[in-house]
Structure formats: C-alpha cells, structure tokens
Amino acid sequence: MVSSSLFHRRKQSWPPEEYISRATLQLFDFDSAAPPEHAWRRRLDSHANILKEFSVTFREAIKMVRLGIRLWSYIREEAAYGRKAPIDPFTRESCKPSASQGVPLGGMGSGSISRGFRGEFRQWQIIPGIREASPVMANQFSIFISRDGGNKKYASVLAPGQHEGLGKQDDYGISSWGWNLSGQNSTYHALFPRAWTIYDGEPDPDLKVSCRQISPFIPHDYKDSSLPTAVFVYTLVNTGKERAKVSLLFTWANSIGGISHLSGDHVNEPFMTAKGNPPVTFAIAACETQNVNVTVLPSFGLSQESCITAKDMWDTMVRDGQFDRGNFSSGPTMPSSVGETLCAAVSASAWVEPRGKCTVTFALAWSSPKVKFLKGSLYYRRYTKYYGTSERAAHQLVHDALKNHKQWEEEIEKWQNPILHDERLPEWYKFTLFNELYFLVAGGTVWIDSQSHDECTVNLPQTTRKLEEKNVRVKGRKVDYTEHIEHFATFGSNQSDRAVLAGLPCKDESATTEDGDPADFSHSSSFLDPQNEEDVGRFLYLEGVEYIMWCTYDVHFYASFALLELFPKIELSIQRDFAKAVLSEDGRKVRFLAEGNWGIRKVRGAVPHDLGTHDPWNEMNAYNIHDTSKWKDLNPKFVLQVYRDFSATGDLAFGVDVWPSVRAAMEYMEQFDRDNDGLIENDGFPDQTYDTWTVHGVSAYCGCLWLAALQAAAAMAVQIGDRDFAEWCKVTFLKAKPVFEAKLWNGSYFNYDSGASSNSKSIQADQLAGQWYTASSGLPSLFDDGKIRSSLQKIYDFNVMKVRGGRMGAVNGMHPNGKVDETCMQSREIWAGVTYAVAANMILAGMEEQAFATAEGIFVAGWSEEGYGYWFQTPEAWTIDGHFRSLIYMRPLSIWGMQWALSLPKAIMEAPQINMMDRIRSSPMISRLSGNESGIRIVAHRAGCFGGQM
C-alpha cells in the first residue's frame, strides 16, 4: 500500500547530533552504546510539566448528575468490601501526573516498573489492578570517579536533583547523597523496548557515559517476553589524560511503590552465584569480569536510627569506591520494623585507561509468581512455566538477563530495522510506532500459565478460602487495599517483600542449582522446559490504568492490531476467551448506573464488554454504566476481529472452534433490526464505545460495523462450510446496504445518525470503522471508492484540519459548519486511538498523505516537545485546550493498524478481490438452521477466501 513518494509535508527530524556532539557519538560507536538514528529524545534538564486533567462543562454535569450520584454510591459500597471500583472519577492520586514518563521495564504480564526519562523508577504495577505512580527516590544509579591519585573526585546520583524532599539539611537519608547532575549535557533517547541515557561529560568533563536499558520484549517469543527483568549496560569512555577509577552504584529500596517500604517485615540478603537462597521478591545484580569488581551492601536505612544509614553508605562509596567483600557472606538481615525503609546496594568498579573504554552491566528482576484476584481466583504467572513457582526465582532471572541480553538485542534489532530503515516513512512515525507499545508492558498486563489455576486453588491458605467463602464487609475503618493483596500474594509469609543483591560472575563454572548440582545455562534462559509450545497461556490487559477492566473489548477492537502483528497466539487466545464468553450467561443481578435500572450481568449471545475486574474470566462485565448487552458495536466487532485473525493466520482450527460463537453473536443482533430492513438501529442512548454520545435510529458507526460483520460472517461461513448461514448473511447484507446509504449518505459523507437531533448531521471521525476492518481483512469494500474517499476527505478537511491546523489529531465530532460538535464530552474530544484508526483507513483507501498528516497531529500534541507531555502515557482523549482524560490507555495501540495497512499480510494481499456476496448461491427462501443444528461442514483444506466454489 505504500507509494514511493510517501507523505513528507512537514518533514521533521531529530538526529542524535542535535543532542549529542559528533565526537561523543563516535566514541560510542560500538556494542550498541550510541543511541539509534531514530528515537524519541529529551534533555535531562527538560521541565516535566504537570498535566492538565479534563473537567466536564456545566451543561454536561447537569446531564450526568444522576449518574454521578449513583456512581459515587457504588464506589463507596465497593470500598466497604475492600474493593476498588473499576471507574472512579472522584478519587485523585497524591502524585499529580506529569510529563516525566519513559520506557517501562520488563516483559509482559509479570508486573511492571516504569522509568522516567530523568532516571526515576515510578509507576509500579506489581499487583494486578494496583498502580503506585510516585517514584521511589532511593532507587538510583550513581557514579563515583577518582583521578590523579584521588586529588580529583566526582560523585553524583545519575539523575537531576529536581525532586521534592531533596536537599534537606542534616539528613541521614537520600538527601545526604550528591545530587550534582544538572542534566544540561545529558540526554535520553527512547526506542521501546530499549532506552539510552548519555551523560556527555557529566559529572566528570573527561568521562563519557552511556546507559542502555534493555527489556525482553521480543515479538513471537512467548517465553522471554514474559520475563520480569531488565538490564542496564553502562559504557564508559575516558577522554582524559590520566586513568580513572570509576564506580557505578545501583541502590534499591525494598518496596513495590507507594508506602509499601514502610509496612515492615522486609528482608535483604546477598548472594554471589545461582546457589540456593531463601525466597526473594527483587534481585539487583552486576556482572563481575576480569576488569570489573563487584561488591555489595546488604542493607542500609533512610533514617538516623538505621544501623547503616544512607549517608554512611554514600560516604563509604565516596571514600573507597566499593564495599567490603565480606558482605557476601553476611546472610539475611533482620526483618524491618514498621515505618523502617530497608535498602540494598550493588557497586561495580573498574579502572578506565586514558582513551580507554569499559562496559559495566547491571540487571534488575522481580519475582511475583502468583496472581491473586480479589474475589477468589489465583493463578501462576506465565514465566513460572520456565522458572518455577518459587519467589526465589528472581536471582535466576537476573542471572539469565545478564547472560542473554545481547541475544535479546539482536532479535529486537532484527524486528525493528526494516521499519527504521524504510526511507518512505516519516521519522516521527517510526519511533512513535514502537514507543506506543509501552502499553503492553505498563498497561497492567497479566499473563498467566493456563494450567496454573487448579494447582493454585488447591493450595490456597485456609484464611484465603474463608475470605472466598464469605464476602467480608469492613466497617468503621479504612481498608488498605494494597496490603490486603500483598498478604495473600505471600501465602501467609510474614515477609511480604524480600530483596536480593548480587555480584554475578559472567562465567558459569561456579553456578549451581538449589540442590548444589552444576547448572547449565548455555542454551536457554530457562531451567524448565515448556510442555506445549502452542499453549501460550492466558493474557489480560487493562482498558487503562484509570479504567480497571480487563480486555475491554470495544477498545481491544482498535488495539488488537498490535497483538496480531507481534504476538498472534496471544491475540487468538483472547478471542477464544471472548468466544467462550459469548455462549455463557451470568444471571446475577446488576444495577446499571446511567439509568438506575437492573439487569443480569451477562446475557447469552452478547459479547461482554470486558472480562471482569476482581475475578476475570469468571465474573465478566465489570463495566456497569450501561447495559452492554444492548450495545450495538460489541457483537459486530467480535465477528470482524475473529474473521480478520482467521484470515491473517490461516488457522482453520481456530475458525472451527469459534464459529458457533460467531454465529450466535450475529443471530443475537437480529433483535435490533426493529423494522425488518436488515439494518440494526440504535436505541436512543449511548449504546456503543462512545458511551456518553447518544445515538438515534440508524448510525454511521454501528451500521457500518454491522454491514462489515455481515460480509465477514458470510466469508467465514463459506470457509467453515456453513452454507445456509452464509446465504442468510448475503441476503441480509444486500437488503441492509441500500437502506444504510439512503438514510445516511448526504453526498459527501455519512451522517452521524438518522435521527432529528441537533448533531444528527455531524461528521463523525469514526464513521467508517467497519470499512477499516473490511479492507484490513482483504474483503471487498462496503461502498464504492468514491463514497469512501469522499467521507475520509471530509473528515480530514473538517475533523482534522479545522482543529489547530491539523496539529491535534481528529476531533470525534464536527458540525458541517466547521464548529466542533459539543453535544457531549466525547463528541468534543480527540481520541488518539481513533485518530490512528482513521489514518489506517486512509492508507487502505490510497490516501497516504492525508493519513500521515492526520496521525502526525497525535505525535505533535502528545509526544513532541511543543505538545502536552503525554509520552509513554498516551491518554484515551484530550480536548482542544489540552486537558487529558484517562492516561495510559489501551486504544492508542491502534497505530499498529497503520502499520498493518502499510504491510498487509501475504494471506490477505493474495486473496482474490471477488465480492463474496456474488459467490453465495441465492434462493427465494432462506433456510435457517435451528439453534440445535451446527450447520457446519468442516473443510479439510482451507478454501480460497473469496473464490471457492460452493
């Protein structure tokens, strides 16, 4: 789909030479130490502005007052049971969101820790559904340099000292450290899953330092991509005339964010090899080589009462540049007291000769093997399939990270280079495409071993079983939700968090297993072989860190392109989960907050909105604003996603397995065709993903999705062998399409809906969502090319270019007079994920220039220095005046829909473009199979998508 003269309207370039001197770049031109040519960049002294959150207008507040009262009551009711409501717009975090984010650490689904571009460790999500946004400032890298016989010394934390609480006088905590880095000559370069920080002569003018952060996010690698670990490779170049002793220090507080470090009963211990040790949660390590000496400090505290204070630790490093080697045999520390912070440190020291170079490697791992959801179910995380279920797996993880990170980097570069080297693509797109993937790590992802549920359940502690059997209501005191979950994550242990620090030799002769036998790490990062490589477990990710619902399906519709492109087996696993859900029913009563009416939690035949919050897979539809069994977009979206995935992967077994659910989902929608014209109608409330934007009658968004679903279901029915259902889909499509066009087409675009409201003629940016999926799946266009291009051009001219000259993205609704549709909160918002989807649709329609101009608005507003500061936390929405709603949101992963459009899979590209509806036999009477008949003829060999004879 890409033309040779791809869009370069506002060619922007961010070469590393604008941030780092050419001489320094040349010094780092080895071992991947230099930042890449294409990356998102910031100077460390850049201001991290506080972000502005959205607010509703007075008119919107009046409309939503009853909903607000019911939601407030529901939030309080959930809190009384020790649970957090999935949507809570009333509670504000103590840590105000700021433009400080960077590339997160670790693989997918094992808990995540983000790292800001200035070096702070923040946004902790170790416990599913719980996020601690505040940085833990004791977690730092620091550097100590001694030259000229010790007469010239430098010591500094490798982060600018611009944080609250620093600079206290007579402090024995981290304020006593040397926060001497200005950041003027230091820069950050991000290309997910890696990041580079270059210290160009800070704090020593004659020492150049590169820190490369690496996480195991490797497409199609379903093992290493699940690992909770990250590596930091420091490259040191001495440009001075005298040799320098350089010591790098990695400090870590025994904490999972927030105030968890004060809860007590934390234990630290040192280790040197993979030899057996008591259970741990965290492990920090450095690789000891012939030139690098590693020492450790098992424990220090942040208060004057600590046996060894943070000030003592710092003074030792300034004086000696290392710790006592005897610390390796010191054993575990005493458990910490309540209110006491326990920290640990690893130091790596080396002599760097004049004009010499040296590499020092650190690693971090965390092990939280069990996932405990609040309403009962407990599972093992995916990585335990390879590392076992002990919490002490962290030191094995950190060991393997130090050994295997170079292989990870080779695979990452092999994946990214074809896109990065494609000169037809705008530079901003190349690195934003990869950086938007941050959400698959930092979006609260949970990846479990699919065989783990039963094992965990039978081993539940007695106290856990009692809580599952009885819904305990807590009165008269505040429930600490974080501590509640931690307690059960440790299975009765009094030590809720442990930390390990290590100096690991790079050779493996001394490495042993816990039983004392020699360990073999030569071929694999794991020590447990997978039983079934096709079984990738089960995967969850949040709608957003503020909307705590797993795998929200109407949003996954946009985001799923990333998973299909990079981890297709995970994508198919999610679709299987929803296919199973379609055929299930949950009759428990639920009150829907928008109207105050009651219904049941899950209706058979309806695609659930989400897989749940507090007991995913078992208690679905945590969303309770509206009754989503009456939504008009979920079922068509399910059919479209299934067909796209089926067509792209060619997985016939998948198609056969989910077909009963596809058929049930389509048949369920017949009830919404009120006038028997083949077309579904909306019901006068926000019955789709735009859940504050009311729709009347036939709508462009849902109607187009329905037409696309009819065509996709017909195509799939032919391949599966359900001829009668294919015929019904054809007849319904041929009846519905002219009705849709007659009611909505106005000569240049499709009206918002067929009603008579003030916004019925609005230009909706997302009006052709069904056509987007149709083209992405290789199916013939729903409408003639003229209508498609005219609609997209109208969206470009009005929704995009009339909003700040196209530098904001596409506003959801725009009146034909050029004024933003302010009917409701969502009609006046710009949704990053929808804008990317519109751009993908434009690419598929041959409108590459408009596509990249449209999507570039998201980059300018969200990622550029002149924008609002949404990097690595792209929100669901922002307003024209730059107020965000819902940071760290799933939908912007739809930028991978653009990449999908640019490089359609071979299976889709080679599909004959023959109208499916012309290939299905017609008959005057449509034979409908009863619900008890399968109507499926399994095809032994996959039929051609569009040209197979019936």
Side-chain angles (χ1 to χ4, degrees):
M1 297 297 298
V2 186
S3 65
S4 58
S5 57
L6 199 59
F7 168 62
H8 288 291
R9 179 177 64 89
R10 279 198 306 259
K11 186 179 186 302
Q12 298 185 28
S13 180
W14 298 265
E17 293 85 355
E18 291 185 6
Y19 294 78
I20 311 168
S21 68
R22 286 184 178 272
T24 299
L25 286 172
Q26 290 172 357
L27 292 173
F28 288 134
D29 191 20
F30 73 100
D31 193 30
S32 301
E37 179 182 355
H38 305 293
W40 179 89
R41 312 185 198 277
R42 284 296 178 275
R43 302 186 189 279
L44 262 61
D45 63 348
S46 298
H47 176 62
N49 58 287
I50 300 297
L51 306 182
K52 297 184 292 184
E53 194 164 1
F54 89 105
S55 60
V56 296
T57 65
F58 178 76
R59 185 176 66 175
E60 291 165 354
I62 293 297
K63 287 182 178 180
M64 294 191 290
V65 64
R66 291 186 178 88
L67 167 62
I69 293 170
R70 295 187 193 105
L71 181 57
W72 172 256
S73 177
Y74 171 70
I75 291 168
R76 295 186 63 183
E77 180 182 339
E78 287 294 287
Y81 287 106
R83 298 191 293 259
K84 184 177 175 64
I87 300 175
D88 180 1
F90 304 108
T91 304
R92 293 290 181 265
E93 294 184 1
S94 58
C95 179
K96 294 182 179 180
S98 64
S100 57
Q101 295 296 95
V103 174
L105 306 173
M108 299 187 296
S110 296
S112 70
I113 306 166
S114 291
R115 194 167 183 231
F117 74 86
R118 296 188 299 196
E120 67 274 19
F121 294 84
R122 59 192 310 135
Q123 294 287 355
W124 300 71
Q125 296 189 81
I126 306 297
I127 300 169
I130 302 296
R131 177 177 62 113
E132 295 288 353
S134 301
V136 177
M137 295 306 297
N139 297 348
Q140 296 290 347
F141 285 100
S142 303
I143 194 166
F144 304 83
I145 307 158
S146 177
R147 294 179 183 268
D148 192 22
N151 294 324
K152 190 186 295 182
K153 287 190 172 185
Y154 303 88
S156 180
V157 177
L158 287 174
Q162 304 171 3
H163 305 277
E164 293 182 17
L166 298 180
K168 298 177 183 177
Q169 297 295 321
D170 301 321
D171 184 43
Y172 289 84
I174 63 173
S175 291
S176 64
W177 297 355
W179 298 85
N180 302 317
L181 198 79
S182 71
Q184 286 182 321
N185 299 321
S186 301
T187 52
Y188 181 83
H189 311 258
L191 187 66
F192 178 90
R194 297 188 293 173
W196 291 254
T197 305
I198 306 299
Y199 305 92
D200 195 356
E202 286 192 276
D204 181 347
D206 293 326
L207 186 72
K208 312 297 184 182
V209 180
S210 166
C211 173
R212 189 166 80 259
Q213 171 187 311
I214 308 151
S215 291
F217 183 97
I218 305 163
H220 306 286
D221 185 332
Y222 296 89
K223 179 176 63 177
D224 286 357
S225 296
S226 72
L227 303 183
T229 186
V231 174
F232 307 89
V233 180
Y234 280 84
T235 302
L236 313 173
V237 180
N238 184 3
T239 60
K241 297 180 180 180
E242 52 199 5
R243 71 175 190 154
K245 182 182 180 182
V246 181
S247 297
L248 287 162
L249 175 71
F250 189 11
T251 53
W252 195 260
N254 201 330
S255 169
I256 57 170
I259 60 171
S260 63
H261 55 287
L262 302 177
S263 59
D265 286 329
H266 298 250
V267 174
N268 289 3
E269 63 185 82
F271 70 94
M272 283 201 64
T273 69
K275 199 167 183 178
N277 290 278
V280 299
T281 299
F282 294 99
I284 58 175
C287 187
E288 187 167 67
T289 67
Q290 184 177 357
N291 300 320
V292 178
N293 179 50
V294 175
T295 58
V296 302
L297 182 63
S299 176
F300 68 90
L302 303 184
S303 66
Q304 187 174 356
E305 291 73 27
S306 302
C307 182
I308 300 176
T309 67
K311 185 178 187 302
D312 296 333
M313 183 278 299
W314 188 266
D315 291 343
T316 298
M317 287 299 300
V318 171
R319 183 182 66 248
D320 303 328
Q322 62 185 33
F323 301 116
D324 188 340
R325 293 284 297 184
N327 288 341
F328 280 116
S329 57
S330 62
T333 65
M334 293 295 292
S336 64
S337 303
V338 175
E340 178 186 7
T341 301
L342 203 59
C343 305
V346 173
S347 169
S349 305
W351 285 96
V352 188
E353 300 297 326
R355 305 295 174 183
K357 301 176 181 179
C358 180
T359 298
V360 179
T361 308
F362 292 88
L364 164 69
W366 54 97
S367 180
S368 177
K370 301 178 182 73
V371 176
K372 173 69 173 63
F373 292 103
L374 196 57
K375 282 192 176 180
S377 295
L378 187 149
Y379 307 87
Y380 283 123
R381 294 189 191 266
R382 167 75 174 176
Y383 76 90
T384 64
K385 188 179 184 76
Y386 313 101
Y387 282 84
T389 58
S390 169
E391 292 167 352
R392 62 184 73 183
H395 66 260
Q396 187 65 52
L397 283 159
V398 85
H399 177 280
D400 290 353
L402 289 172
K403 281 187 58 62
N404 297 322
H405 70 87
K406 289 186 178 180
Q407 180 183 344
W408 295 344
E409 288 194 276
E410 289 175 3
E411 294 299 319
I412 290 167
E413 290 173 2
K414 188 187 302 182
W415 157 47
Q416 293 183 335
N417 281 342
I419 294 172
L420 296 175
H421 296 161
D422 190 339
E423 296 182 356
R424 299 169 298 176
L425 300 175
E427 184 176 357
W428 67 264
Y429 171 79
K430 295 177 183 180
F431 57 78
T432 306
L433 177 72
F434 293 112
N435 285 337
E436 287 284 17
L437 290 171
Y438 84 93
F439 188 84
L440 289 177
V441 172
T445 52
V446 173
W447 193 357
I448 66 162
D449 178 5
S450 59
Q451 302 301 314
S452 66
H453 176 72
D454 290 340
E455 298 172 28
C456 285
T457 302
V458 298
N459 291 316
L460 283 175
Q462 186 176 3
T463 52
T464 306
R465 289 202 189 99
K466 287 180 179 178
L467 277 178
E468 290 181 346
E469 293 167 4
K470 183 178 180 180
N471 197 2
V472 180
R473 187 180 181 98
V474 181
K475 299 181 179 180
R477 65 182 180 91
K478 181 180 178 181
V479 176
D480 189 320
Y481 181 64
T482 302
E483 290 185 0
H484 180 75
I485 296 294
E486 284 179 37
H487 173 73
F488 293 110
T490 60
F491 286 83
S493 169
N494 290 326
Q495 297 163 0
S496 57
D497 294 302
R498 290 175 178 264
V500 170
L501 53 161
L504 292 180
C506 285
K507 296 181 180 179
D508 298 313
E509 287 82 356
S510 61
T512 60
T513 66
E514 294 178 13
D515 298 324
D517 298 322
D520 178 12
F521 305 115
S522 56
H523 301 296
S524 173
S525 66
S526 66
F527 58 86
L528 294 178
D529 292 328
Q531 299 299 311
N532 180 6
E533 288 296 341
E534 292 301 312
D535 178 13
V536 298
R538 304 177 83 179
F539 190 87
L540 299 169
Y541 64 149
L542 291 174
E543 178 178 336
V545 297
E546 298 176 33
Y547 296 163
I548 308 171
M549 294 164 284
W550 300 110
C551 294
T552 299
Y553 201 73
D554 56 305
V555 185
H556 180 69
F557 175 78
Y558 298 84
S560 59
F561 282 91
L563 286 174
L564 180 59
E565 178 77 27
L566 305 176
F567 298 95
K569 292 180 182 179
I570 291 178
E571 166 62 11
L572 295 187
S573 172
I574 292 174
Q575 298 300 352
R576 288 180 186 275
D577 284 338
F578 275 92
K580 181 180 178 181
V582 168
L583 301 178
S584 70
E585 183 157 308
D586 185 342
R588 284 174 289 183
K589 294 292 184 179
V590 174
R591 189 185 192 195
F592 301 110
L593 304 179
E595 300 297 332
N597 57 312
W598 289 80
I600 67 172
R601 178 172 291 276
K602 169 66 177 68
V603 176
R604 179 181 172 85
V607 174
H609 172 273
D610 55 80
L611 292 177
T613 291
H614 299 308
D615 193 8
W617 300 296
N618 301 315
E619 185 180 270
M620 294 170 283
N621 280 335
Y623 178 92
N624 61 348
I625 305 298
H626 298 290
D627 182 355
T628 58
S629 69
K630 298 178 181 178
W631 276 19
K632 310 307 184 294
D633 63 336
L634 287 169
N635 282 39
K637 284 176 175 177
F638 170 70
V639 175
L640 289 170
Q641 288 182 72
V642 164
Y643 181 75
R644 177 204 58 189
D645 298 351
F646 172 63
S647 179
T649 63
D651 190 332
L652 182 60
F654 166 75
V656 170
D657 288 347
V658 302
W659 176 248
S661 299
V662 170
R663 179 165 175 166
M666 292 296 291
E667 291 172 337
Y668 181 86
M669 294 300 292
E670 289 186 76
Q671 64 182 298
F672 302 121
D673 178 8
R674 315 291 188 192
D675 52 7
N676 198 32
D677 62 359
L679 199 59
I680 61 171
E681 288 88 35
N682 294 86
D683 285 327
F685 75 100
D687 49 357
Q688 26 77 42
T689 194
Y690 300 89
D691 59 352
T692 68
W693 199 357
T694 298
V695 197
H696 300 275
V698 175
S699 71
Y701 184 69
C702 296
C704 187
L705 288 171
W706 173 242
L707 291 177
L710 285 167
Q711 183 170 232
M716 191 169 180
V718 169
Q719 294 171 69
I720 295 298
D722 193 345
R723 182 182 307 176
D724 294 277
F725 193 73
E727 184 179 354
W728 176 81
C729 290
K730 171 189 174 178
V731 172
T732 305
F733 177 89
L734 294 177
K735 186 194 304 185
K737 179 183 173 181
V739 175
F740 180 87
E741 293 184 320
K743 290 189 174 183
L744 298 180
W745 179 250
N746 62 24
S748 60
Y749 65 94
F750 293 98
N751 289 335
Y752 175 69
D753 65 29
S754 62
S757 62
S758 61
N759 70 322
S760 289
K761 289 183 170 56
S762 284
I763 308 162
Q764 184 181 13
D766 215 2
Q767 62 185 267
L768 289 180
Q771 170 59 29
W772 171 38
Y773 256 72
T774 294
S776 295
S777 304
L779 291 168
S781 296
L782 296 176
F783 316 106
D784 64 66
D785 290 346
K787 286 187 173 71
I788 294 169
R789 291 176 65 90
S790 173
S791 298
L792 292 173
Q793 188 64 47
K794 191 75 172 184
I795 293 165
Y796 178 74
D797 291 340
F798 280 71
N799 301 59
V800 177
M801 296 308 297
K802 289 187 180 296
V803 179
R804 303 285 174 89
R807 302 178 71 81
M808 294 282 288
V811 69
N812 283 336
M814 178 72 77
H815 289 297
N817 63 3
K819 294 183 178 180
V820 172
D821 183 346
E822 297 186 348
T823 302
C824 67
M825 174 182 73
Q826 291 174 342
S827 64
R828 62 183 173 90
E829 288 179 330
I830 294 158
W831 288 10
V834 168
T835 299
Y836 287 143
V838 170
N841 214 347
M842 290 173 172
I843 292 171
L844 291 162
M847 301 169 64
E848 291 97 342
E849 181 172 342
Q850 294 93 326
F852 282 94
T854 296
E856 187 182 7
I858 301 301
F859 168 75
V860 172
W863 289 82
S864 73
E865 287 194 81
E866 64 186 89
Y868 300 119
Y870 300 144
W871 44 81
F872 300 103
Q873 53 187 336
T874 316
E876 158 74 317
W878 55 76
T879 58
I880 294 175
D881 56 356
H883 289 70
F884 76 87
R885 179 170 62 82
S886 188
L887 291 172
I888 312 181
Y889 196 80
M890 181 199 295
R891 204 183 313 253
L893 283 170
S894 61
I895 191 173
W896 281 86
M898 294 179 65
Q899 190 60 26
W900 184 268
L902 290 166
S903 53
L904 287 172
K906 185 178 180 181
I908 289 176
M909 288 289 289
E910 294 182 354
Q913 287 294 301
I914 300 174
N915 194 318
M916 170 55 64
M917 299 310 173
D918 294 337
R919 307 298 301 176
I920 304 172
R921 62 180 170 83
S922 300
S923 85
M925 298 293 292
I926 304 172
S927 172
R928 296 300 309 276
L929 298 177
S930 69
N932 295 325
E933 298 178 65
S934 68
I936 297 178
R937 174 173 56 85
I938 305 301
V939 182
H941 300 285
R942 183 172 182 242
C945 288
F946 308 100
Q949 296 293 325
M950 293 298 295

